[in-house]
Amino acid sequence: MTHATVVCRDGLIVAVLPGEAGPDGAVGTEDDVAGRTPLGPRVVHAKDLHVYAAFIDPYVEIDVPAPAADTNGRHWNAGVTPQRTAMDGGGIDEATAAGLRKLGFAAACITPKGGVFRGQSALVSLAKPSDDKSAARPAVYRTRVYQTVSFETGGGYPSSQMGAIALVRQCLSDAEWQWGERVAGRRTGGADAIDSLIAVSAPGKPRADGPGRVGTPGDGEGDIPARAGPIVFDCRDELTELRGIRVAKEFGRSFVLLGSGVEYQRLEGLAKEEHLSILLPLNFPKAPDVGTVAKQEATELAELMAWEQAPTNPSRVKAAGIDFAFTTARLRERDEFRGNVRMAIQGGLSEADALAALTTKPAGLLAMAERMGTVEVGKVANLLVTDGPVFDKKSKYRSVFVDGVEHVLFAPPAEAEGEWTVALPGGAEGKRRLEITKENGVTVYKDARNVKGEKVSLDNGVLSFTFDHEGLDETKGIYAMSAALVTDHNGNAMRLIGQGVRPDGTRFDWSAVREPGGSLTSMTGVWDYRLVGAEAGTNPRPGTIEVLKEENEKGERMLVRTLGDDQKVTTIGAKNVKGEADVLTYEVAGGAGEPVATVRMVVDRNAKPASLKGEVRTGDAVVAVEGVKRRGEHSSPLGKWRVTEADGVIRAMDRVDGLDIEVKAKAVILTFRKPDQGLGDAAAEPLVINGDKVEIEKSVLTFEHPLELLGGEGVSKDRAVVEGDLLVGISTLPDGSTHVYKAVRLPEPKEDETTDEAWRFVGIPEALPLPFGPYGLRSGVHTAAPAYTLIENATIWTGNETIEKGTLLAHRGKIIFVGTGATPMYDDDTMKIDAAGKFLTAGIIDAHSHTGISGGVNEGGQAVTAEVRIADVTNPDTVDWYRQLASGVTSMLALHGSANAIGGQSQTCKMRWGVIDPDAMHFEGAIPGIKFALGENPTGKNGSGDNGGQYPISRMGVEMLIRDRFTAAKEYAARIATDSAHARRDLELEPLAEILAGTRLIHCHAYRQDEIVMLCHVAKDFGFKIGTFQHILEGYKVADYVRDYSGGGSGFADWWAFKLEVQDAIPAGLPIMHEAGAVVSFNSDSGELARRLNVEAAKGVKYGGLSTLDAWRFVTLNPAKQLRIDRAVGTLEKGKDADLALWSGDPLSTFSKCEATWVDGRQLFSLEQDAEHRAWITAERQRLIQKLLVGSEKKKEGEKGEEAGDTPAEGASPPGPPGERRRRRPSPERESDAAWALRRHMLAKAVGLGSHKPGECGCEELSEDQLMDMAERAMEGSR
Amino acid sequence: MKLALRALAAGTIFACIAPPALAQDLGIKAAPQTDAICLYNASIHPIIGDDIPNGFIVFADGKIVEMGTGDSSIPAVATADGFVAINCEGGHIYPGLIAPWTQLGLSEIQAVRQGNDTIELGGITPEVCPATAVNPDSTLLPITRSNGVLTAAVCAGGGTLPGQVSIIRLDGWTTDDLTINRSAGQVLRWPNMRTFNFPGMVTSEEDQRKETREAILAIGRTFDTVAAYRMARTTDPTSPIDLRWEAMAGVVPIGPAEGSDGVRGDAPGKSVFVQANDVEQINAAVTFGKERALRMVIVGGREADRCAVLLKAEDVPVIVMGTHNMPGRDDAPYDEPFTLPARLAAAGVRFTIANADDTAHERNLPYTVATAVKHGLDHERGLRSLTIDAATILGIDKAYGSLEVGKSATLIVTTGDPMEVRTMVTTAYVDGRLIDLSNKQTELARKYRERLKQIGQNPGR
């Protein structure tokens, strides 16, 4: 709607009217001037301004006090505070609100900061609170909008993402259970924190207050507080988003994600979720610094790619069909928001979608669509007023109306230019006229006389000047004058109100009103005009006039003279020139026998450029005239133009915007499509007209062009004048008729575009690799999986025997033939490999790994963390998977660390590089496991000495802790068996009960023989069999125990002496256990060592005297047996999975290289594929580095040429004093996986841990703080 | 006596290394060589010179006196009185392997603080010398030498100039017995020149660069001080002695900044072992060393191939810190650390490869090199890295690193290529002394196999 009017009352929109409210040029009412609205409405004149529904930020974190320690019903975990609400403290602070208003927001959903269950959010007004303490506070539109949940860690339990997920799971489970108990009347105590988590949709819900309404205590439903609305999961990366979705769905909760900004990296996975909504941040990474060789060396490809792709995230999310609203959350500085919205639009998002994401979408997601998000009657009067399209860089946000109250964001500097009529009290001194020029020159007129003002200043809306009155009458001396400017919305001064001091010291009040039409000044200048629809030969002809002011002793007079094409004066033929109130009149004498023409034109000085409209009367004939004013400078016509308005011949084409004009130094090219050619029809070749006789004289372009293609005859003579980015052309046809057209300048080609970041968007790859980053599978490159894989002429180590010149055929992931002789059946869709001279084996299985675990390998926050699950945090994207595939490893056991005696649940994985769904890494049907740990680690012996005050600190305590928990688990199992309907589900005891039931295996980190024997006793007493002993360095001392009480031992081939409890480790240890009949395997416990497990196996031959076959089974069949996956993997047999490794020679030789690896029959690594990856990586790195280097130059130029930029408005937070910069240690869980990994990597580099060593990696993982301290020490030390 | 020896000579090589009853850390160190020894019926890999497929080697008083080819019978030279002739039964003889960068003897169990003597306080402690603190009864020494690593450089760790590099043999009663060269040079840890920038960093990149600049200036001042000190001591022998600067005398030349021929008067006899990994560190360190006419060795060298032209032109060798590392970046090739030696070789840079792992795992040195061979390094270059190239870079090539007449009889007899895991080291001599290859680990294996035997479980072998 244009020229519309919005009427607000009491904070609501009461009317939205089309058309203009007042007369043209009217600026406000009397009430407006006084700034009061005692009676009628206050009119805000927004001519030339744009009005939008103000924005809504759906996620703004604020500090809210934690529940006091002695509060009843407080949850045992300090991070679980769902009962908190965002309004518990002071609500949103004015500085934050002001910062948001500046960006166009009028409402924000505020939510408590910190913790796992953070509390209930509230949608609040961002109005500035009145200074009047008795006035109403800004509105709270809705409370308890959603419950914010994050997988945040730090300060005890949870200390890992998997721990946080486990805590969330237990709490949601407790909420369901507790609600059931309350409904059944078995639980009658006062409300506690968990009650705040009862789902709105909980069964038995007795009250339907609607979402987020507080139930009244004592209303018969018990003192149960409000039931929770949806959950908003704060997700730091795309994998965490999938985790949040999974947990929410597990409990049937409605949810929204606070997005990460990296959704694009796994969009296919997210898009699988129907009706997904994301609060989308615009946290685009800074451009990586690649300015030096060293910086380039230190920059990861993924970092470069993320920088380039991030701004496409919103458009990609949109294209994936995911609902989203923008939030300012996660920005480094909130002020980056506007620029980043613009960047998202450059990245492919439509402006309409961007606007929706700021208005209707957040309104909808917050269930406030009926009250907010659009400019409609009945909605909250939250409006944003801008002076240009809302997403234009140059547009200024003028005001934001919050609940109908204007908050001025930017007031243009007052302009007083024009003519004024001064009223003096009493009329004693007669009327004066005042002219103020653009340069703030002041001239005071009385009658025909005038004097120049002196000491003129126009500051902060106050005009001051002096003038010598003597020039005006006989009074001698200097008058001093000052007045305040009362301005309209565009900064135009409408009224002057002030005081003066006469030479004799007497004071007087004066005021001045603007002459309605303005001044002579508005008319002076050069005008290009034309006659609308005039006949040929009309007088005057289209052309150029210059309006001048001539001053002499008598005052001044106006002159109008005609300029020729050469800009030289041709005539000064105008007579009776009058200029008043923006109306210019004059007469032009015709040639011989021609009548006098009277010209009357009205100047519109607010138009850009200033324009005039009027008529020429010649006798009775009236011809309309139009013209535009030239600016002082001459704009060049060179460049490309798009015609936006036209009449005459050109108008005949339905779509004039299809006409482009390219102006070169000696040529003009017109390109267009005929009306029957669709504009968007790129296939249709545009028609081209070449102009000739091209001449350019400053801002004037003349040329001729044939009319044939446009449907006319002959040649059109065109004359066009350029004013900045606007071109007005007059086309004179052979019949003498003239037609006018307007065109706007098209953006210069990208390479010259220096004022924005358009260069960033050139050549962005559409398709992304999966995983996002190096070695990811790229569409059509490495994703093909043939139906058959046939490997011939290989020396095959099946794991049972050696087959020379053997053949293996796999079909759809399974081995269907191993042997020699008969040719097996296969079809054309076959990958055929001649493996003459090569060795084919089953893929290696690593029974102890910590690869691909997000957000911490240890949940060390408690001594028992059986509830945490590695499966929750599988990260399929770490490049370590690929590197291990390159070493023939195809399956592994991902284990929790050994920080505590009863650790988390383990996950057996297959290395399916490039999966969309992280869970697809999980080995189907593998028996569940859990990590236990004995010895130095769970007793904290290598740390402070007291294990952080956590029991146990001795091997004696470890035993009792384990016995205690198994005792509890036994009782729990009994309880569940007898009363499964009402027993509270205990996620910690559940897996322990599974161990007792034999459905879950313990993988126990153990070193010394005493502790091994201890656990064997426990197993015997509780009647279960241990899965494996891990590390088991002294297992050879008690090999019979290992054999009898467990599924065997898995350990290092020869590692020892890195700590006291491994001083008796020997490389013959595991082979001795093998001799005693235990199932034994070698493992890595290290992403680096995992890369050479084949050679580790050879150490069994060297130190333990194993046969080649037995040694090879140490890294294939034996770990498969230990993990109970030997039915599918571990040997090459018909019916087993086609998990294969192809070696250049004897797999036990240090000189043999893995040349190819298959998982489920898919080749996921080969030397050839790897070479392709490397070539792509090199090319992509260079492309991006060059883009950054070239771009940073452009940016520099752009910044130079740019305007001073937005005026800082209210709420801009000043940078803190240097002393206040505090060391910030964000917990790793608040960063993205990638950022976290990068940081760890860099820290490790700084510390000098080039790579993790076995026994250090997961089992004794350094904390972030330890690493940081070490890094800083190392850096200090290195200097 | 002679009879006994003859009886020994008639035995096989396996018979003569029957282990003593005790683990080596409680065991007896090797006695000095008394009789001349001839090892025959072996493939000899002298490293310098061609392989001798069916050869013998004779050494006396700890030095090699003769090598030659023959058949599988005792060579004539070894039938004389005073000779012990040992049939190697087709085994292979290599020089003892040399570990070019370790902390053997300075650290027993990493996690036990009390056993660690690798670092001294203070950033500039050039006076401290590892040979002083090597524990001759460390259990790590027998474990390491059992796989053929018989010589090692032991290096001080810590600050900017943390101390010296000592060269030891891995068998001896006392530190004096162990020491080959108490001071082979100085360790210089070059400042990090690559700025870090990640969330939580306190120091700005600009401040980091400033700190680096200051640190490099401080190194320069130290070397200038040493030169001035030496000049002062030369011109005025009564000027006070400073142990720190005395310790650096061998690495810092004195005299006019540049002689008439552009070279300083007294070229240093010892190397400065500069720990530097990144391109800019290596560039800066080599330039620094060139300005001061230092003899340099780069230690680390992760990006040394990118400075190969400079390193080759200045003839600065590199001690590559291992191959069993992870690539520097996620997008780097998976084999980036594996192929570094091959890339250095192709560029003509001299180098040797250190194991660069925990001290306790130094025995795996040959496999660290094997990984480089697997990924493109010439097999011969791999062997040289383990022997003569290491010896040359450490300055002990006159006596160690190859089998040549006149050199130390520090050698191993193996069943094959020492870079293959399944190869067994059957015998080892250090300066002609027969070394006990048993160790704590072999004894523990024996002990607990005995337990299994006693309780009637499968006793194995």
Side-chain angles (χ1 to χ4, degrees), chain A residues 862-866 901-902 932 934 951-952 955-973 975 986 988-990 992-993 995-996 1014-1015 1017-1019 1021-1022 1024:
Chain A
Q862 292 176 346
V864 179
T865 58
I902 299 181
F932 275 35
L934 313 174
Y951 187 101
R955 288 178 171 84
M956 302 179 290
V958 171
E959 178 189 9
M960 286 309 147
L961 182 76
I962 293 173
R963 285 184 181 273
D964 173 74
R965 287 294 85 193
F966 275 125
T967 306
K970 213 169 162 177
E971 291 166 1
Y972 173 73
R975 206 157 57 237
D986 187 322
E988 176 192 305
L989 292 178
E990 206 169 71
L992 299 180
I995 295 167
L996 297 177
M1014 176 276 284
L1015 194 70
H1017 285 306
V1018 172
D1021 293 348
F1022 284 91
F1024 63 85

Side-chain angles (χ1 to χ4, degrees), chain A residues 186 197 476 880:
Chain A
R186 272 192 302 275
L197 289 176
K476 288 187 178 177
D880 284 353

Side-chain angles (χ1 to χ4, degrees), chain A residues 91-101 126-129 138 407 1210-1211:
Chain A
I92 192 163
D93 63 287
E94 168 55 16
T96 307
L100 284 161
R101 287 198 303 268
L126 294 176
K128 185 174 184 177
H407 293 66
E1210 54 164 339

Side-chain angles (χ1 to χ4, degrees), chain A residues 294-302 774-775 879-880 883 886 942 1009 1036-1041 1043 1054-1060 1063-1068 1072 1075-1076 1087-1088 1091-1092 1095 1098-1099 1101-1105 1108 1146 1148-1154 1165 1167 1170 1174 1177 1181 1223-1224 1226 1231 1239 1241-1243 1245-1246 1250-1251 1253 1256 1268 1272 1274-1275 1277-1279, chain B residues 108-112 139-140 143 147 158-160 189-192 194-202 205 208-209 211-212 215 278-280 302-303 306 323-335 337-338 356-358 360-361 363-364 367 370-371 373-375 379 417 419-425 440-441 444-445 448-449 451-452 455 457-461:
Chain A
K295 288 286 185 191
Q296 291 188 9
E297 289 290 343
T299 305
E300 294 278 358
L301 174 63
Y775 305 100
V879 74
D880 284 353
R883 289 173 178 166
N942 296 315
Q1009 58 159 307
Y1036 67 95
K1037 296 183 179 177
V1038 288
D1040 46 331
Y1041 286 83
R1043 179 196 60 207
D1054 66 347
W1055 288 78
W1056 77 302
F1058 50 89
K1059 53 183 177 172
L1060 194 66
Q1063 60 180 340
D1064 274 5
I1066 65 174
I1072 289 174
E1075 289 164 20
E1088 194 278 313
R1091 284 145 46 95
R1092 45 200 163 84
V1095 181
K1099 289 176 181 169
V1101 179
K1102 181 188 188 89
Y1103 296 109
T1108 296
D1146 180 344
L1148 291 181
S1149 167
T1150 47
F1151 301 128
S1152 296
K1153 210 177 193 175
C1154 176
F1165 169 81
L1167 293 178
D1170 191 59
R1174 291 185 196 195
I1177 286 164
R1181 274 187 72 87
R1223 173 170 174 160
R1224 221 159 29 93
E1231 297 169 36
R1239 188 139 75 97
H1241 172 72
M1242 296 180 86
L1243 285 171
K1245 227 164 131 182
S1251 58
K1253 302 294 186 217
E1256 287 172 356
M1268 182 68 93
E1272 278 175 10
M1275 276 183 284
S1278 72
R1279 293 195 165 93
Chain B
E108 192 68 14
I109 292 176
Q110 255 178 16
V112 180
T139 58
L140 307 187
I143 300 272
N147 204 30
T160 308
R189 192 167 140 189
W190 198 260
N192 173 43
R194 205 161 274 184
T195 53
F196 292 91
N197 187 6
F198 46 81
M201 274 299 295
V202 191
E205 288 193 82
Q208 290 177 47
R209 278 190 284 271
E211 283 173 25
T212 301
D278 300 340
V279 172
E280 50 275 36
R302 198 175 52 231
E303 294 176 0
R306 280 163 247 187
T323 57
H324 293 158
N325 302 318
M326 291 302 248
R329 289 192 311 260
D330 277 2
D331 57 77
Y334 77 92
D335 60 3
F338 306 157
D357 211 328
D358 291 349
H361 306 128
R363 61 176 163 200
N364 287 329
Y367 316 136
T371 296
V373 173
K374 171 164 72 170
H375 289 273
H379 185 269
D417 185 343
M419 286 189 277
E420 277 286 14
V421 171
R422 284 167 293 180
T423 296
M424 306 296 283
V425 175
K440 176 182 178 181
Q441 295 187 335
L444 280 169
Y448 282 95
R449 279 197 169 103
R451 172 180 174 268
L452 289 172
I455 62 173
Q457 306 290 346
N458 183 349
R461 16 179 230 168

Side-chain angles (χ1 to χ4, degrees), chain A residues 63-326:
Chain A
D63 287 315
V64 172
D70 56 357
T71 309
N72 283 339
R74 193 170 180 269
H75 194 264
W76 64 267
N77 190 293
V80 179
T81 57
Q83 73 275 36
R84 254 198 323 183
T85 84
M87 301 309 295
D88 286 355
I92 192 163
D93 63 287
E94 168 55 16
T96 307
L100 284 161
R101 287 198 303 268
K102 192 171 82 170
L103 300 169
F105 291 93
C109 198
I110 54 174
T111 186
K113 194 188 283 180
V116 175
F117 285 95
R118 294 174 171 176
Q120 300 283 356
S121 58
L123 181 64
V124 299
S125 153
L126 294 176
K128 185 174 184 177
S130 168
D131 290 336
D132 181 355
K133 296 264 187 276
S134 65
R137 308 297 297 164
V140 177
Y141 301 120
R142 227 189 111 194
T143 57
R144 299 171 189 274
V145 181
Y146 54 75
Q147 170 77 235
T148 303
V149 180
S150 95
F151 301 133
E152 185 174 291
T153 63
Y157 185 89
S159 68
S160 65
Q161 185 172 112
M162 57 187 167
I165 293 173
L167 181 60
V168 169
R169 192 178 271 129
Q170 183 70 63
C171 288
L172 292 177
S173 166
D174 285 350
E176 277 181 9
W177 170 79
Q178 188 161 305
W179 178 244
E181 292 296 284
R182 284 199 188 278
V183 169
R186 272 192 302 275
R187 191 181 174 89
T188 53
D192 63 21
I194 291 296
D195 284 314
S196 303
L197 289 176
I198 292 165
V200 173
S201 57
K205 176 184 65 163
R207 283 173 51 93
D209 287 332
R213 295 290 298 275
V214 184
T216 314
D219 61 356
E221 309 300 338
D223 294 337
I224 298 167
R227 293 173 291 280
I231 288 171
V232 166
F233 277 104
D234 173 359
C235 298
R236 64 191 170 129
D237 56 35
E238 81 291 358
L239 290 169
T240 308
E241 290 176 54
L242 292 174
R243 292 165 194 150
I245 292 172
R246 182 167 51 189
V247 172
K249 289 176 82 172
E250 190 177 327
F251 292 94
R253 294 300 186 119
S254 63
F255 65 95
V256 173
L257 301 177
L258 171 62
S260 58
V262 293
E263 286 77 11
Y264 64 93
Q265 297 186 7
R266 202 168 224 91
L267 211 43
E268 217 177 316
L270 288 166
K272 278 184 188 166
E273 178 59 33
E274 280 176 33
H275 312 303
L276 179 61
S277 299
I278 300 181
L279 311 181
L280 204 62
L282 294 169
N283 50 341
F284 307 146
K286 278 188 187 153
D289 179 359
V290 290
T292 64
V293 173
K295 288 286 185 191
Q296 291 188 9
E297 289 290 343
T299 305
E300 294 278 358
L301 174 63
E303 205 183 332
L304 296 167
M305 291 167 67
W307 163 78
E308 186 186 42
Q309 290 289 347
T312 70
N313 191 49
S315 64
R316 287 179 187 272
V317 168
K318 173 75 193 170
I322 296 169
D323 212 21
F324 64 94
F326 286 147

Side-chain angles (χ1 to χ4, degrees), chain A residues 97 106 267 279 343 519 544 764 825 877 894 896 979 1016 1118 1231:
Chain A
L267 211 43
L279 311 181
M343 220 183 281
S519 69
T544 308
I764 293 191
M825 296 290 293
D877 293 353
H896 184 273
D979 187 14
C1016 292
N1118 293 3
E1231 297 169 36

